[in-house]
Amino acid sequence: MKNLILLMILFTNVTFSEQSQEEERRRIQREKLELIMRFQDLRTIHDGKLISFLFDKDATIRRKATYAFGSIQDTSVLHLLIRNLSDPDNAVQAAAAFAIGQTGTMLSLKGKKDLETQLIWKQLGNTSVDERIIEELGKFGTEEGLEQLMIRYGTLFPRIYVNGLTMSIARFAIRGIYNKEAIQYLTTFTKPQLPVNWRVMYALMRISSIPESRKEILYEIHNISQLYKDQNPLVRMHLATLLGRLKDENSSLVPVIRMASYDGDWRVRVNAIRALGSFDIKNNDEAIRIFKRAFYDENMHIALTAFVEFAKTGLTDVNHSEATKEAFGWLKRIVQNPEKTYKWQYQAQASIAYARLVNKDAIETLKNNLDSPPLLQSKIIQALAETGSVDVLKYILEYTNNKNPIIITAVLDALNTLCKQNKKNSKLIEVTYTVLINSLGRRDVAVISTAATMLRDSLFLRSATTDPLLETLNRMKSPDDTEAMQEIILTLSKLKDEKAVTVLKRLLRQPDRSTALASVEALLNITGKDFSRDVQKHMQPTYVDFDFGYLRSLNERPAVKIETIRSDITIELFPEIAPFTVISFLKLSEKGFYRGTTFHRIVPNFVIQGGDPRGDGWGGPGYSLRSEFSDLSFDEGYVGMASSGKDTEGAQFFITQSPQPHLDGRYTIFGKVIRGMDKVFQMQSDDRIFDVKCE
């Protein structure tokens, strides 16, 4: 009995000791992880601590530290990231591949060539993440790099790493790089009798944006064009865009018409209608009637796309077919909207299309709608300018003293459009210049940004602009005014006035790195001297919230419900991937920040964007967040933070309506839709967010 008691005591002590050791291990790991998050957010590696974590005995620490460099993008540690491609832990290798792809974009041309050669001929074949490395090469690789990839993997049978190589080819194409071998590789997967990977069609679509590639793609157009029957809507969606770029009527027009008319997925129809706008349809009544029917489609995405594309057709309402007259009749009726039957979004976009096609004859119809709510009114002002007639100037100038920044920016945009169509009208140019200078005193970031951008156009570029620009710049502060500051700096750079040098030198010490770097470029342009050494290498952010207690209190995958006018959208958040973005989003939600905001930007078959307290895309929370890039991909329903460049995120967020790989590694992903994706598809411009609540 005594022996049994002794054994029980001994076992209890051992168990307690093991538990204590495990708790201590977890505590140490947690502290290290929190340090890594701090270093990543502060962009601080110069004390060597973050680098030391790359060699930690804990694989979790090595992975997170390696991953952090994907956001920091410091080229001085590339050799260490390459070393971690040989790490015994596969997750560390994957993090290294991602971080190398992100950081490679920061290299010189020679540096990129050296890195791609090392990866292709020394690393590939020796890691567990070869496919990821191949895809990451597409983010920074050169023409020689693509050629080397195709030599090594493009002719292999059986095929390996198809997804990785396909997406790598797409990422090369996004940057304007392609070759004949890449096209031949992709088209081997486009046989109608075989299932087609949507990534293949995405890559071909991306390549087709390079005009020189289209002749090569046309060699395979017979097989490719038949894919309008493919079961995967993503294949058909990208096919429609591809065919629109090729503009080969013999092979492409019929499939485009069929997708625009009958496809069961609205996203395919949107892309097909966009493609249809690329063809000459003046004598094609079938195509014209597709536009007419789309004008009053109950799916707003289809209707708005139809208005935009119809404006590009060059059709007129005289001396044409009955189908053309019918289309113009419907278009004019929507513009007039006498019984208020059509939503303002339809009327707004129809007005712009009508103005572009009818020109001066549209003025009388348009001016009758000027007394409208601000959002529609701003579009009518822009539509008046689209007529190209200086007769509209008197109507536009009536709104120069309006207090609503949405109206003022619309006025500036309208004047810009009008001036570009009447470049020889000196009176119009002078009137517009005066309005622009006066707008610099508005103390509104959107108005100032718009005015500063216009003032560097050759129509308005003059030395007298320097002083008002400097006066405006001196009263601005980051982060609220960052975008306006950068636009002013770009205009000062073009003016090349040495009076700006003193102010620009002061901005080299700006806490916002993007503003400081813009000042470096401007100073180089004005003085011919490189001031990059005067910029702090490691700038502390103006805002941090290292509330790790709050972070630890969250579930592994917390969820929030966005209550909208179209019912609820539930989003699962990723605190593991984007901790500080999630903290900010949740705290803003708890404060009621998003209550009453709108989805102010809807781009059909791309994203819906909301969370701006101003409602025009220029608002924020009063601080900027650091970008938290990840190896996740922007698939359908993923939630990202809107930004105007790295480390400029705030409160505005967007949700993808279909996969958007070109956003990968450039915008923070912090969640995905788990319920209510149908509402994301239905969302319309100016739809209200009632609230955002934790579930």
Side-chain angles (χ1 to χ4, degrees):
M1 187 67 178
K2 289 182 179 179
N3 289 338
L4 180 60
I5 293 172
L6 287 171
L7 283 171
M8 291 177 64
I9 292 171
L10 180 61
F11 177 77
T12 301
N13 288 337
V14 169
T15 302
F16 180 76
S17 176
E18 289 176 347
Q19 289 175 343
S20 297
Q21 290 177 13
E22 177 61 19
E23 288 176 1
E24 180 64 10
R25 186 194 69 79
R26 289 180 179 177
R27 183 190 66 79
I28 293 172
Q29 184 187 75
R30 184 178 68 244
E31 289 179 355
K32 288 180 178 180
L33 289 173
E34 290 176 357
L35 271 176
I36 291 170
M37 284 187 273
R38 282 180 183 269
F39 293 146
Q40 177 179 330
D41 202 57
L42 295 171
R43 306 289 191 247
T44 304
I45 69 165
H46 53 280
D47 63 357
K49 190 66 176 176
L50 182 57
I51 289 174
S52 72
F53 286 147
L54 294 174
F55 311 98
D56 198 272
K57 62 182 180 180
D58 184 341
T60 299
I61 300 303
R62 296 198 305 276
R63 178 180 65 84
K64 289 295 289 185
T66 304
Y67 201 71
F69 282 104
S71 292
I72 296 173
Q73 297 174 292
D74 191 308
T75 58
S76 68
V77 298
L78 266 171
H79 64 293
L80 299 177
L81 300 177
I82 292 171
R83 172 192 174 278
N84 275 9
L85 288 174
S86 302
D87 193 277
D89 187 274
N90 291 348
V92 177
Q93 291 185 31
F98 163 71
I100 290 168
Q102 292 288 109
T103 308
T105 62
M106 310 302 290
L107 291 169
S108 65
L109 180 60
K110 182 181 183 303
K112 290 174 181 177
K113 289 183 177 181
D114 290 343
L115 177 58
E116 68 191 10
T117 299
Q118 183 174 6
L119 292 175
I120 294 170
W121 299 111
K122 293 183 180 179
Q123 298 298 325
L124 288 176
N126 297 308
T127 78
S128 65
V129 292
D130 284 2
E131 188 159 26
R132 184 77 207 191
I133 294 172
I134 290 169
E135 180 174 346
E136 292 293 332
L137 277 160
K139 291 181 179 178
F140 68 87
T142 68
E143 291 182 14
E144 290 87 344
L146 178 57
E147 182 180 346
Q148 291 171 35
L149 272 179
M150 298 315 300
I151 289 171
R152 180 153 189 191
Y153 294 104
T155 57
L156 281 182
F157 291 96
R159 301 291 193 188
I160 60 172
Y161 307 140
V162 173
N163 282 350
L165 184 53
T166 298
M167 288 308 299
S168 184
I169 291 170
R171 297 193 189 285
F172 273 104
I174 289 169
R175 298 184 297 111
I177 298 172
Y178 86 101
N179 60 30
K180 183 178 179 180
E181 291 72 25
I183 294 174
Q184 290 174 340
Y185 174 82
L186 294 171
T187 55
T188 61
F189 300 103
T190 60
K191 310 305 179 189
Q193 65 271 23
L194 299 174
V196 179
N197 186 328
W198 70 266
R199 295 171 183 82
V200 169
M201 194 54 61
Y202 175 79
L204 281 169
M205 179 272 290
R206 283 293 174 183
I207 290 175
S208 70
S209 66
I210 308 169
E212 296 79 12
S213 73
R214 293 169 191 168
K215 184 178 179 181
E216 299 293 339
I217 299 174
L218 280 169
Y219 287 134
E220 299 290 338
I221 194 60
H222 176 72
N223 285 334
I224 293 172
S225 63
Q226 296 306 304
L227 294 173
Y228 76 90
K229 305 170 187 174
D230 194 274
Q231 292 185 348
N232 189 340
L234 297 182
V235 171
R236 304 194 304 274
M237 186 175 82
H238 297 308
L239 171 66
T241 302
L242 168 64
L243 296 178
R245 287 175 180 165
L246 295 178
K247 291 189 284 192
D248 182 71
E249 289 195 14
N250 293 329
S251 61
S252 303
L253 185 55
V254 170
V256 167
I257 284 176
R258 289 179 180 176
M259 286 186 283
S261 300
Y262 310 120
D263 201 280
D265 191 300
W266 69 267
R267 298 171 300 177
V268 179
R269 289 187 64 198
V270 161
N271 281 24
I273 290 170
R274 285 176 180 149
L276 198 56
S278 303
F279 291 90
D280 182 356
I281 64 168
K282 290 184 177 66
N283 299 311
N284 191 319
D285 284 359
E286 183 180 6
I288 293 168
R289 287 195 170 100
I290 289 173
F291 280 108
K292 188 196 80 170
R293 289 194 298 270
F295 289 163
Y296 51 90
D297 198 287
E298 63 181 10
N299 185 309
M300 184 180 289
H301 302 314
I302 291 171
L304 297 187
T305 302
F307 294 134
V308 171
E309 298 304 324
F310 191 69
K312 300 175 183 178
T313 61
L315 292 167
T316 64
D317 59 349
V318 294
N319 300 324
H320 276 292
S321 68
E322 193 63 32
T324 305
K325 292 177 182 178
E326 289 173 3
F328 272 92
W330 275 105
L331 184 64
K332 185 174 182 178
R333 181 170 180 79
I334 295 169
V335 173
Q336 292 172 324
N337 202 6
E339 299 170 357
K340 306 303 178 186
T341 306
Y342 301 100
K343 295 180 179 179
W344 75 265
Q345 296 95 330
Y346 285 65
Q347 188 177 1
Q349 200 60 60
S351 297
I352 292 173
Y354 189 65
R356 288 178 179 172
L357 292 169
V358 179
N359 306 129
K360 188 175 181 178
D361 291 341
I363 296 174
E364 195 65 28
T365 301
L366 293 171
K367 72 182 183 66
N368 291 333
N369 294 326
L370 277 170
D371 187 19
S372 300
L375 290 175
L376 176 57
Q377 188 179 62
S378 68
K379 297 297 183 182
I380 300 299
I381 291 170
Q382 292 175 29
L384 283 167
E386 293 290 349
T387 66
S389 171
V390 293
D391 291 347
V392 303
L393 182 61
K394 57 185 177 183
Y395 302 117
I396 295 172
L397 292 179
E398 287 179 7
Y399 295 91
T400 54
N401 294 319
N402 196 286
K403 297 185 183 300
N404 189 331
I406 292 176
I407 300 300
I408 296 300
T409 52
V411 166
L412 299 184
D413 287 334
L415 290 173
N416 192 37
T417 298
L418 202 57
C419 287
K420 288 184 182 301
Q421 296 182 70
N422 299 274
K423 293 181 179 181
K424 295 182 179 180
N425 190 318
S426 58
K427 181 179 178 181
L428 170 64
I429 303 299
E430 286 306 311
V431 167
T432 300
Y433 178 77
T434 301
V435 172
L436 293 175
I437 294 299
N438 291 339
S439 296
L440 294 176
R442 285 277 179 167
R443 298 182 182 272
D444 181 89
V445 64
V447 175
I448 293 172
S449 294
T450 305
T453 302
M454 288 175 61
L455 283 166
R456 65 173 173 271
D457 188 286
S458 58
L459 291 173
F460 312 112
L461 199 66
R462 55 202 71 183
S463 58
T465 307
T466 300
D467 287 337
L469 284 174
L470 290 175
E471 181 183 340
T472 304
L473 188 58
N474 278 325
R475 69 169 187 261
M476 306 191 93
K477 295 180 180 179
S478 295
D480 288 347
D481 301 324
T482 296
E483 290 182 61
M485 292 171 71
Q486 291 181 16
E487 293 300 333
I488 291 174
I489 291 168
L490 287 171
T491 304
L492 290 170
S493 176
K494 195 161 185 179
L495 285 166
K496 294 186 178 181
D497 192 328
E498 292 193 357
K499 287 193 290 186
V501 170
T502 301
V503 175
L504 292 172
K505 282 184 177 180
R506 176 174 56 80
L507 292 177
L508 296 175
R509 312 300 292 180
Q510 257 281 332
D512 178 76
R513 187 171 182 81
S514 58
T515 303
L517 293 177
S519 299
V520 169
E521 290 297 318
L523 285 166
L524 179 63
N525 199 36
I526 295 170
T527 68
K529 298 178 182 178
D530 184 1
F531 287 84
S532 58
R533 291 184 178 180
D534 293 343
V535 177
Q536 299 176 59
K537 189 173 182 181
H538 299 284
M539 288 186 171
Q540 300 295 308
T542 56
Y543 170 86
V544 294
D545 183 11
F546 298 136
D547 193 344
F548 294 112
Y550 184 92
L551 190 63
R552 288 194 295 271
S553 72
L554 301 177
N555 297 328
E556 184 178 347
R557 286 291 172 90
V560 296
K561 181 169 62 178
I562 303 178
E563 299 175 345
T564 80
I565 196 170
R566 301 194 180 277
S567 194
D568 299 341
I569 301 169
T570 303
I571 294 173
E572 180 181 76
L573 302 178
F574 302 154
E576 163 75 7
I577 299 296
F580 299 122
T581 303
V582 169
I583 288 174
S584 174
F585 183 77
L586 287 175
K587 287 188 174 182
L588 288 174
S589 301
E590 291 166 2
K591 294 175 183 175
F593 179 89
Y594 293 109
R595 195 173 298 144
T597 59
T598 64
F599 283 101
H600 62 275
R601 178 175 180 246
I602 309 288
V603 183
N605 196 20
F606 180 43
V607 300
I608 64 170
Q609 184 170 320
D612 175 15
R614 285 173 52 118
D616 62 357
W618 290 90
Y623 58 81
S624 291
L625 297 168
R626 296 286 193 154
S627 304
E628 296 180 286
F629 300 137
S630 72
D631 57 359
L632 294 177
S633 187
F634 275 100
D635 291 331
E636 178 187 302
Y638 273 68
V639 188
M641 289 302 295
S643 75
S644 57
K646 185 181 177 184
D647 299 335
T648 62
E649 290 81 357
Q652 293 183 44
F653 62 93
F654 61 86
I655 306 173
T656 53
Q657 293 183 324
S658 59
Q660 302 296 332
H662 69 287
L663 303 179
D664 297 350
R666 298 172 56 200
Y667 293 85
T668 300
I669 294 178
F670 71 100
K672 70 175 180 180
V673 175
I674 56 174
R675 286 188 299 277
M677 193 63 206
D678 58 326
K679 308 309 174 191
V680 175
F681 290 155
Q682 295 168 15
M683 207 62 63
Q684 300 173 6
S685 178
D686 202 36
D687 275 354
R688 195 155 298 281
I689 296 173
F690 295 134
D691 208 351
V692 177
K693 296 178 180 178
C694 292
E695 284 217 314

